Amino acid sequence: MPRGELRIYLGAAPGVGKTYAMLEEAHRRAERGTDVVIGFVETHGRPHTAAMIGELEQMPRRTVHYRGAEFAEMDLDAVLARRPEVAVVDELAHTNVPGSRHEKRWQDIRELLDAGVTVLSTVNVQHLESVNDVVAQITGTTQRETVPDEVVRAAGQVELVDMTPEALRRRMAHGNIYRPDKIDAALGNYFRVGNLTALRELALLWLADKVDDQLDAYRAQQGISDTWEARERVVVALTGGPEGATLIRRAARIADRSKGADLLAVHVARSDGLAGADPAQLARQHVLVESLGGSYHHVLGTDIPAALLDFARGVNATQLVLGASRRGRFAQLFSRGVGVTTAALSGPIDVHLVTHPEAGRGRLATGMPAALSRRRRLFGFALAGLGMPLLTLLLRVLPDLSLTNDILLFLAGVVGVALVGGLWPALVAALGGSLLLNWFFTPPFRTLTIAQGDNLLALGVFVGVALAVSWVVDVAARRTREAARASADAQTLATVAGGVLRGERPLPALLDRLRETFGLRAVSVLELSEEAEGRPDRARDEGAWRVVASVGDRPAGSPSAGETAVPVDERLTVVLSGRRLEAADRRIVEAFAAQAAVALRQERLAEEAATARPLAEADRMRTALLAAVSHDLRTPLASAKAAVSSLRSPDVEFDADDRTELLATAEESLDRLARLVANLLDMSRLQAGVLGVTTTAIGLEDAVPRALDDLGAPAADVATDLPADLPAARADPGLLERVLVNIVANALRQSPPGQPPMITASAHGGQVELRVIDTGPGIPADQWEHVFLPFQRLGDRDNTTGVGLGLALSRGLAEAMGGTITPETTPGGGLTMVLRLPAASPGGARE
């Protein structure tokens, strides 16, 4: 059965019209005869959205009972049983009520897609996992419902539903998004022009990245190598020389001129060796590139200009930055150099040749090229064809020399040809030289006959020595080439190791480097199933293998599906797709494969460690608990016991006032003890994840007085300012009271005499905010998070104020109810604790 297609409508903020656009598409498909049903659409009370549903078939919703409340969710089983061609499922990032089959709605959608149902859905950019922290920094609101980016990137189509910030605010002011009582707060907070502009840019940039991925995939499928200047990409070529930092900064400035341009640095390690490449310089330049927001790449290539241009075209680069040649003027007479050659062959790619202090100074290590290129061999043949006749002519005009001297001079010429062109040109020179010696210098002259036997021996020795020297030169060249290749391989592996050490995820980083280095389409790591292990007949089946990691396009699912398979051990195999590798490349691929196996084991060990971490954290918590409560439990117990023992003592007669005071002391001590035990139990439940939370609508005008009453006389002077039209919050009444008691108690301890704390409240953006304001000494902003750590008292030196659980527990309880607690600086000095809870009637806080 073919898999269904996912189409997502992406928006920058609630209210831009994603659901409306999705329903318009549903109507268009229904009018064309497609079987369309609505699995779940959330209208948020917006009349235009509700009217857009029209006559589309709606599946009944499933009612879920959770902690005494009823919730409506999509009935996944009913939609699967109905099996429409297209299902409309709103809010991709929605979190299902506990007890549902899947935790997230995108997982429900994935099951529909697997069943062959095409799905239309919606999501806001703030719900994407990769930008969640950026959105929180911009808006001050953390989105707790997120969806992995790969889910959205895997969609067949992603359509941006865009609207300018001014138009969206007008929609808000007209009451098309939120209820009238929410409009002012929304416009002054989340829906500020700056927030909306930033969110819009995030949505556009994220979608541009996805479109860029689609463009790369299309170019790869169609075999298009020409550069399409759809987006600026600046590639800077590094040689490992001291000019690299100058080139990187110049390329970064070029990239900065174009908004959203990419910066890529590439070093080409020649497979036949590269003089002047300093590994230490390359390492420093690697770090510099990444610090400027770019990426570093390392490729192999015999022809540096061709390798540079192949890489630039492969990444669809628009500009290429190279340094002016470091070679001296004399060297440039014989070769144009990499920069000039690259510029001549670049085609539509703009090439920048950047001057630098090292230009023209020459290389520190010139060295003869290690390999005998085709050009050198041709030059050797030319030298053999012209040099031997010229040497003959020279010897004819010189004074008479003996045959021995003539042979030595011809032998020197053959050695020269061997050094220039290698074995085959030297062989031609040796044979040609022997014929010329025989014809012109061996009696009888101008015949190929040899009259004397010693002359025949001399010519034979000449040919033998010439061939031997040629062979030695050729072998030396081959050994040098192999050594250079090994050096290039070592540089590649060092680059990979450096990338892993700098924090990249080891396994994906290794596979991606392997794919990039050898120009592959995809690389995958396959693991043999336990059932097929030890059974060669089963190991050949595609179903016996499982892909544990992969990069690239269409990775192989079995060893036979790729061009090259490199076994790592009995169960793991690395499969390369895209092209067959040369035998010489297999050695470095095997090194990659071995490192990939190590990285896979490390990831699995890390997962096991993550599983064990909660147990270790619980053990640490118990240790801290025992150390913290040793005094705090004894103090109220001792006070209560002393008061009760005094009352029961027959030796002392107490009057009514004394008895009342002793009873009050015992009651106060027992209340402190009860609060301490309750805090400890709740903290333990929070750490274990088993705290029971039952949320309901509760008014703060009821919760705040109960919390103040619980604190007794110290809270009598606390001022409150709760608006009469404040909406109810959704919270657990008991837990909310505990949170308020702890926050207000902390404010009372920090407030100076005669300046009691103040409690205010407001509502906006689907949330109710309660602020507990004190004018005490306050806390530096860089230590705000420390006050929420359990078992510590920031700045306290005594053990009479509790075990330091109040704020830590309050934050945990607030988050368990779907809220947050954040500190702020009180204007004029002091600390303000802001408790945010979801409103009981959000009125369209989400779309």
Side-chain angles (χ1 to χ4, degrees), residues 116-185:
V117 179
T118 293
V119 177
L120 309 180
S121 190
T122 63
V123 70
N124 280 328
V125 69
Q126 63 262 34
H127 295 298
L128 297 176
E129 184 65 46
S130 64
V131 300
N132 186 255
D133 56 340
V134 180
V135 172
Q137 180 182 6
I138 293 171
T139 64
T141 302
T142 301
Q143 298 292 337
R144 301 194 177 278
E145 291 186 329
T146 60
V147 59
D149 286 49
E150 55 266 25
V151 174
V152 184
R153 290 190 182 277
Q157 298 182 61
V158 178
E159 180 175 327
L160 179 67
V161 182
D162 191 28
M163 182 176 291
T164 64
E166 294 76 14
L168 185 57
R169 285 170 60 86
R170 284 196 298 272
R171 288 197 64 194
M172 174 73 71
H174 294 159
N176 294 329
I177 302 176
Y178 289 165
R179 296 200 318 263
D181 58 325
K182 305 290 184 181
I183 293 175
D184 291 340

Side-chain angles (χ1 to χ4, degrees), residues 242-243 246-247 322-326 354-361:
E243 76 282 359
T246 301
L247 301 182
L322 302 98
S325 177
R326 285 188 285 136
V354 179
T355 59
H356 51 84
E358 302 297 325
R361 292 187 177 183

Side-chain angles (χ1 to χ4, degrees), residues 404-747:
T404 302
N405 291 329
D406 293 335
I407 290 175
L408 289 176
L409 290 174
F410 269 85
L411 181 61
V414 172
V415 172
V417 172
L419 291 174
V420 173
L423 177 62
W424 294 107
L427 179 61
V428 171
L431 294 177
S434 66
L435 293 174
L436 291 172
L437 282 169
N438 188 2
W439 185 268
F440 290 104
F441 303 104
T442 305
F445 301 113
R446 292 182 174 83
T447 67
L448 294 178
T449 60
I450 301 175
Q452 301 177 5
D454 55 346
N455 290 340
L456 178 62
L457 177 62
L459 288 177
V461 172
F462 163 76
V463 174
V465 172
L467 294 178
V469 171
S470 303
W471 175 262
V472 170
V473 171
D474 188 77
V475 170
R478 290 177 183 274
R479 294 292 181 266
T480 304
R481 183 168 60 248
E482 292 170 0
R485 178 58 184 258
S487 175
D489 292 349
Q491 289 184 32
T492 301
L493 291 174
T495 301
V496 173
V500 173
L501 290 174
R502 276 185 294 274
E504 298 177 12
R505 291 183 59 201
L507 187 54
L510 282 167
L511 299 183
D512 197 60
R513 295 287 185 182
L514 175 59
R515 181 189 63 81
E516 179 182 86
T517 299
F518 293 101
L520 302 170
R521 187 189 73 242
V523 179
S524 56
V525 178
L526 307 182
E527 187 176 37
L528 190 64
S529 64
E530 294 181 358
E531 296 79 7
E533 191 172 358
R535 298 180 56 184
D537 57 328
R538 286 292 310 279
R540 288 189 290 268
D541 297 338
E542 291 190 8
W545 295 90
R546 179 172 65 91
V547 179
V548 295
S550 65
V551 296
D553 184 32
R554 303 190 307 278
S558 66
S560 60
E563 278 72 19
T564 304
V566 180
V568 181
D569 54 26
E570 293 81 2
R571 298 191 61 184
L572 289 178
T573 298
V574 175
V575 183
L576 315 179
S577 304
R579 68 180 182 91
R580 289 195 176 276
L581 298 182
E582 299 175 1
D585 295 329
R586 189 176 180 89
R587 180 167 54 88
I588 191 171
V589 173
E590 289 174 349
F592 270 101
Q595 292 298 319
V598 173
L600 177 62
R601 295 187 186 99
Q602 289 177 344
E603 285 191 359
R604 290 179 172 175
L605 288 174
E607 292 174 0
E608 294 177 4
T611 304
R613 192 174 295 115
L615 299 177
E617 183 66 20
D619 184 70
R620 187 195 66 80
M621 186 67 66
R622 283 193 293 269
T623 302
L625 172 63
L626 293 175
V629 305
S630 58
H631 175 85
D632 297 276
L633 284 173
R634 285 200 304 267
T635 301
L637 281 174
S639 299
K641 181 174 176 57
V644 174
S645 298
S646 299
L647 289 172
R648 293 189 62 193
S649 174
D651 301 328
V652 182
E653 190 70 25
F654 296 97
D655 58 21
D657 292 337
D658 291 333
R659 291 176 63 84
T660 300
E661 184 177 352
L662 288 173
L663 288 172
T665 299
E667 183 179 22
E668 181 182 353
S669 298
L670 291 174
D671 286 342
R672 285 181 55 196
L673 182 61
R675 284 195 296 269
L676 173 61
V677 172
N679 283 345
L680 291 172
L681 289 175
D682 284 344
M683 179 58 73
S684 176
R685 294 189 186 103
L686 277 174
Q687 294 291 334
V690 296
L691 180 69
V693 180
T694 303
T695 59
T696 186
I698 180 172
L700 292 184
E701 66 275 12
D702 298 323
V704 171
R706 286 201 299 269
L708 296 179
D709 291 340
D710 189 53
L711 289 170
D717 296 329
V718 174
T720 60
D721 182 13
L722 304 178
D725 59 346
L726 188 69
R730 180 161 291 280
D732 184 302
L735 298 184
L736 176 59
E737 184 176 344
R738 299 287 302 285
V739 171
L740 294 176
V741 166
N742 285 324
I743 295 178
V744 176
N746 181 73

